Amino acid sequence: PDLGTEFLERPLANPLMNAAGVWCTLAAQLDALADSEAAAIVTKSCTLVRRDGNPEPRYRALPLGSINSMGLPNEGYLYYLDYAAHHDYDHKPLFVSVSGLSLDDNLTIVAALRDVVLPALLEINLSCPNVPGKAQPGYDFEAMDELLAEVATAYRRPFGVKLPPYFDFAHFDTVAQILNRYEHLAFITCINSVGNALIIDTGQESAVIRPKDGFGGLGGDYVLPTALANVNAFHRRCPTKTIIGCGGVRTGEHVFQHLLAGATLVQVGTALYEEGPGIFQRLARELAELMAHKGYRRIDEFRGRLKTL
Ligand code: RRO
């Protein structure tokens, strides 16, 4: 089968890419993604100024996924703009994830990205759960609308948002209504980690990560159903926007489920962290095998065509 797809009218070899935050903080990691079977790349969410992030241990692999409270460690936005300036866009698209700590910081970074006039794609992260004292804009609908209004005015090219998971139809409706007001908000990435979970080690009677008394974002198998629900909820409510699925992808079958729910691209976080960039070749092979088994020749034949009872 043909794994080819299109993102904002650009043909891609397959629908796979990394999730922001995983294997994308340093140039050498991004280069490894550029050399992998991933069809696109996104950089670690950046702030105005370089950050060390939270104290370690701040990531733990678990039998069913991961918990993290990294705290936005990154090299500062100029580092990623420089990386973007040297990236080969004919080879694969590059997204730059932006997670300024204030509206002003976000606008400074967005203006810089606009002014360098690169084909890089802006993904605004509305959903970092791990910076002590900073609420997620994704859970403050007024703040989210204000931020999007300012970004959409300053930045006239297609851009997207990375959303936190939502758990209520009223929230799906409200958020979709806000996003639909912005015409060149072209893509929606669902979901960021399921924030502020607590994993307890029974033997040690202890939290397993140091920051925030052990509270952190869940990824991996734990979050697949929540991710699929959010992908499908926004696919239904935002028909003019492209959905990027993220959450719980470890096998080709998980990729297939995200596509069926309405995703156009599918990001890989925890499983990439654990397996490394070689995972994209395995996922592509597993997706191709599943499609062949089902008699599908192209992703278009099933994407978004989830059946209901
Ligand atoms: O760096 C982090 O702690 C982090 C971020 Br910015 C995010 O958006 N999601 C996440 O799980 N961790």
Side-chain angles (χ1 to χ4, degrees):
D2 178 2
L3 297 189
T5 189
E6 247 183 42
F7 182 77
L8 306 185
E9 289 168 18
R10 178 186 167 148
L12 299 181
N14 66 59
L16 303 171
M17 64 182 291
N18 66 305
V22 181
W23 224 281
C24 60
T25 301
L26 298 174
Q29 297 175 308
L30 290 158
D31 287 345
L33 293 177
D35 290 341
S36 78
E37 295 293 308
I41 308 174
V42 56
T43 59
K44 171 67 186 174
S45 288
C46 63
T47 50
L48 211 47
V49 177
R50 185 188 176 283
R51 290 169 58 86
D52 284 331
N54 293 338
E56 300 197 15
R58 58 193 187 181
Y59 171 94
R60 251 299 271 274
L62 305 164
L64 296 175
S66 67
I67 185 168
N68 89 83
S69 183
M70 308 302 286
L72 209 31
N74 77 95
E75 296 296 313
Y77 80 102
L78 290 174
Y79 180 93
Y80 302 101
L81 284 195
D82 182 63
Y83 189 86
H86 296 96
H87 178 71
D88 177 5
Y89 294 89
D90 293 331
H91 182 44
K92 57 183 80 171
L94 177 75
F95 295 73
V96 173
S97 173
V98 172
S99 193
L101 297 178
S102 67
L103 175 59
D104 272 1
D105 286 6
N106 276 316
L107 291 175
T108 300
I109 300 170
V110 164
L113 189 59
R114 172 196 67 204
D115 292 341
V116 292
V117 199
L118 294 166
L121 291 155
L122 169 64
E123 183 180 89
I124 297 260
N125 183 1
L126 300 176
S127 48
C128 175
N130 299 332
V131 178
K134 289 278 166 203
Q136 299 185 42
Y139 286 147
D140 179 341
F141 302 143
E142 240 176 80
M144 172 160 63
D145 197 17
E146 187 192 6
L147 191 150
L148 291 176
E150 299 264 8
V151 168
T153 302
Y155 193 85
R156 309 304 302 177
R157 285 186 281 144
F159 71 100
V161 290
K162 174 79 167 272
L163 296 179
Y166 300 100
F167 302 92
D168 193 287
F169 272 53
H171 294 170
F172 293 142
D173 290 343
T174 301
V175 173
Q177 208 171 64
I178 292 170
L179 301 181
N180 282 334
R181 283 210 284 273
Y182 301 101
E183 207 169 313
H184 61 295
L185 195 170
F187 65 92
I188 304 171
T189 307
C190 310
I191 59 172
N192 209 314
S193 57
V194 172
N196 294 301
L198 178 61
I199 298 288
I200 295 178
D201 181 318
T202 309
Q204 298 297 130
E205 303 180 11
S206 170
V208 303
I209 55 173
R210 187 180 307 280
K212 294 178 63 179
D213 299 325
F215 285 58
L218 279 186
D221 293 11
Y222 288 115
V223 313
L224 178 64
T226 297
L228 294 173
N230 278 261
V231 165
N232 192 57
F234 287 100
H235 174 67
R236 290 176 185 279
R237 287 167 178 76
C238 304
T240 65
K241 311 217 184 279
T242 299
I243 310 298
I244 302 181
C246 182
V249 174
R250 183 174 46 73
T251 69
E253 182 179 356
H254 301 150
V255 178
F256 181 86
Q257 291 186 350
H258 268 273
L259 296 170
L260 197 65
T264 293
L265 298 184
V266 178
Q267 300 182 341
V268 188
T270 298
L272 168 60
Y273 192 111
E274 295 304 316
E275 195 169 328
I279 193 172
F280 293 108
Q281 191 174 21
R282 175 174 68 79
L283 293 175
R285 187 190 70 237
E286 290 176 359
L287 176 61
E289 284 168 0
L290 180 57
M291 285 171 59
H293 178 74
K294 285 174 166 285
Y296 287 125
R297 287 158 307 175
R298 300 170 42 81
I299 287 173
D300 286 357
E301 293 167 359
F302 62 89
R303 200 184 61 75
R305 302 212 186 153
L306 175 69
K307 294 175 204 163
T308 58
L309 305 182

